[in-house]
Amino acid sequence: MAQITLRYWAGARAATAVDRDEMVVEGPVPISVVASWAVAQHPALAKIMPVCRVLLGRETYLYEDAMPVIVEPGQRVEFLPPFAGG
């Protein structure tokens, strides 16, 4: 078994009360599976996820565009909702 690391930023972190999770996988999975797993662990993410940017390696995706992208074991998926400031 291997793991995929999920990182949560800003409002996603507030919704989960953690900054990361480790998802155990048997092989590559699409981001849609990763996102569904995250929402199952933290139901408050259901409202936040659709507005998130999804980061995988050096690539950034809109949430809907990210769903078919394949995540390899050992990679990190980051969920970044919009936020104000800076």
Side-chain angles (χ1 to χ4, degrees):
M1 294 287 181
Q3 295 181 332
I4 293 172
T5 300
L6 288 71
R7 294 288 313 264
Y8 308 110
W9 299 99
R13 181 183 290 178
T16 62
V18 298
D19 68 342
R20 76 178 62 218
D21 279 321
E22 299 292 334
M23 178 182 174
V24 176
V25 294
E26 294 182 13
V29 295
I31 288 178
S32 61
V33 171
V34 175
S36 293
W37 182 89
V39 170
Q41 303 306 304
H42 309 283
L45 283 175
K47 292 182 180 179
I48 296 168
M49 284 292 207
V51 299
C52 283
R53 297 283 179 163
V54 180
L55 288 67
L56 177 64
R58 293 184 173 185
E59 298 295 323
T60 303
Y61 304 91
L62 295 173
Y63 182 78
E64 287 299 320
D65 295 340
M67 294 303 99
V69 174
I70 299 298
V71 183
E72 297 290 333
Q75 285 189 295
R76 179 174 61 211
V77 178
E78 303 184 51
F79 297 99
L80 179 64
F83 57 92

